[in-house]
Amino acid sequence: MKQVKKQTTNTNNYMEIRRLPFEFSSNIDPHWHKQRPEWSHMVNGASLSMPFLEPYLIKTMRKANQLIDSKKLNQEVSLYIGQEGQHFQQHRKFNDRLIEYGYSELVDIENEMKQTFGHFETNRSLKFNLAYAAGFETMALGIGHWLIKDKDYLFGGSDTKVASLILWHFVEEIEHKCVAIDAYNHLYGNYFYRVFGMIYATAHVIKLSQKSYKVMLKKDGLWRNMESRWRLMKMIIRFYKNMIPSFLEACLPNHHPSKISDPEWSLQWINQYNLDGKKLTLLNTENLNEF
Ligand SMILES: [Fe+2]
Ligand SMILES: [Fe+2]
């Protein structure tokens, strides 16, 4: 893999729909970070919700787009939909490997998620669904910044396909950081309801992820293991320590994601993708600063 030149600006300067060039083979290990099985399952747990959550976001944004009377925002929503569509399809393939591996109990959680998001789509207002979408995107932006800042600890030495999937996803979460909140502000704009949506979506997604990783840790025989529980607690503390400042900042009335600079690494990732003729390469997890 060649070294990317240090660059401080995104020459692409616009969202783009990118496709992963690799497949997840049937022998992929759910403990894709050998030293951090609890972290592996925290990520696997979050991945499980994506094929239900992201189609819900897409349907919500599609409905919102019919009401938005700004050509620029209409175009951004379309690109957002395209990116999210790629994300959930890749997570679907990865999640199928987890279930095939032997975590068959995850199917029950999947059915529950299908029902929950279906219920939101059918019974909740567009205002609620859009506030949820904007709230989830706020959380995803904070997570993206953390994953990139802490990438050596979180992904160093791990399976390159999983690390590449997750970091690709969050580079694009950072890239489309403004779209859902702009759609919400364009159609509704109520500050308190935006904050409510953020709290609701964050708590909801965390709860779903916890349910899933608990099932996998139980199956591994680690849930009642004190050493494993302590490692899990430390990862959870690490997560909240990194997420709380961005969450609090997003509660301010004048919050807008455009005021948050993108991490240098995510801009380098995009530049490398463009330099490679729009082909997404697998990351070198032994040196994540080398593309
Ligand atoms: Fe996504
Ligand atoms: Fe997103």
Side-chain angles (χ1 to χ4, degrees), residues 243-255:
M243 290 305 295
I244 288 171
S246 65
F247 186 87
L248 293 176
E249 193 279 333
C251 288
L252 296 173
N254 63 351
H255 163 79

Side-chain angles (χ1 to χ4, degrees), residues 54 57 80 84 87 136-137 140 169 172-173 176:
E54 289 187 316
L57 300 178
Y80 168 96
E84 297 295 20
H87 297 169
F136 171 74
E137 292 299 332
H169 188 162
E172 293 190 351
E173 290 302 320
H176 69 227

Side-chain angles (χ1 to χ4, degrees), residues 96-242:
D96 286 343
R97 302 287 88 83
L98 296 176
I99 293 164
E100 279 167 21
Y101 185 87
Y103 300 111
S104 51
E105 297 85 347
L106 294 176
V107 174
D108 291 338
I109 302 178
E110 288 196 319
N111 288 334
E112 206 182 302
M113 289 195 283
K114 196 174 172 184
Q115 275 190 348
T116 304
F117 288 111
H119 172 80
F120 286 170
E121 274 164 41
T122 318
N123 299 305
R124 303 303 293 256
S125 65
L126 181 60
K127 185 179 178 183
F128 171 86
N129 291 328
L130 202 48
Y132 187 113
F136 171 74
E137 292 299 332
T138 304
M139 180 196 190
L141 177 61
I143 293 177
H145 274 260
W146 169 46
L147 296 183
I148 288 173
K149 190 182 82 176
D150 221 1
K151 62 187 178 310
D152 293 329
Y153 182 85
L154 301 173
F155 298 103
S158 69
D159 183 298
T160 179
K161 285 188 175 179
V162 183
S164 300
L165 165 72
I166 304 300
L167 288 165
W168 157 69
H169 188 162
F170 281 90
V171 163
E172 293 190 351
E173 290 302 320
I174 291 168
E175 194 176 37
H176 69 227
K177 63 189 179 184
C178 297
V179 185
I181 198 168
D182 284 349
Y184 173 82
N185 285 338
H186 185 87
L187 291 178
Y188 303 104
N190 182 288
Y191 158 68
F192 293 104
Y193 203 79
R194 175 181 74 75
V195 174
F196 159 73
M198 190 175 72
I199 294 167
Y200 191 102
T202 303
H204 188 233
V205 173
I206 288 175
K207 201 175 118 199
L208 292 176
S209 302
Q210 279 174 339
K211 210 169 183 176
S212 307
Y213 70 64
K214 188 175 169 183
V215 159
M216 289 181 271
L217 288 169
K218 267 188 176 174
K219 188 106 186 182
D220 288 353
L222 289 173
W223 187 247
R224 304 224 172 267
N225 176 311
M226 290 319 287
E227 275 179 41
S228 171
R229 189 65 73 87
W230 175 236
R231 286 195 299 268
L232 177 66
M233 282 308 298
K234 283 199 290 187
M235 279 311 303
I236 293 170
I237 292 167
R238 199 175 184 102
F239 169 79
Y240 281 111
K241 213 175 114 192
N242 281 280

Side-chain angles (χ1 to χ4, degrees), residues 53-115:
L53 166 64
E54 289 187 316
Y56 159 68
L57 300 178
I58 289 171
K59 286 177 204 156
T60 298
M61 292 292 273
R62 203 169 271 148
K63 280 183 198 161
N65 219 14
Q66 288 169 355
L67 304 174
I68 291 169
D69 56 359
S70 154
K71 283 218 158 37
K72 183 175 175 285
L73 190 51
N74 290 143
Q75 200 188 356
E76 286 169 358
V77 171
S78 298
L79 287 164
Y80 168 96
I81 288 171
Q83 288 193 335
E84 297 295 20
Q86 286 301 311
H87 297 169
F88 87 76
Q89 287 178 54
Q90 295 303 332
H91 281 278
R92 178 67 273 159
K93 292 177 194 165
F94 176 66
N95 299 349
D96 286 343
R97 302 287 88 83
L98 296 176
I99 293 164
E100 279 167 21
Y101 185 87
Y103 300 111
S104 51
E105 297 85 347
L106 294 176
V107 174
D108 291 338
I109 302 178
E110 288 196 319
N111 288 334
E112 206 182 302
M113 289 195 283
K114 196 174 172 184
Q115 275 190 348

Side-chain angles (χ1 to χ4, degrees), residues 1-4 151-152 265 268 272 281-291:
M1 287 187 181
K2 59 182 174 290
Q3 191 74 38
V4 68
K151 62 187 178 310
D152 293 329
W265 190 88
Q268 286 181 6
Q272 187 59 50
T281 47
L282 287 165
L283 295 167
N284 174 9
T285 60
E286 297 302 326
N287 180 4
L288 285 158
N289 286 312
E290 180 198 274
F291 288 88

Side-chain angles (χ1 to χ4, degrees), residues 12 16-19 83 86 168 172 175 269-270 273:
N12 183 32
E16 186 165 348
I17 300 164
R18 306 177 184 90
R19 287 168 179 82
Q83 288 193 335
Q86 286 301 311
W168 157 69
E172 293 190 351
E175 194 176 37
W269 186 102
I270 291 167
Y273 172 83

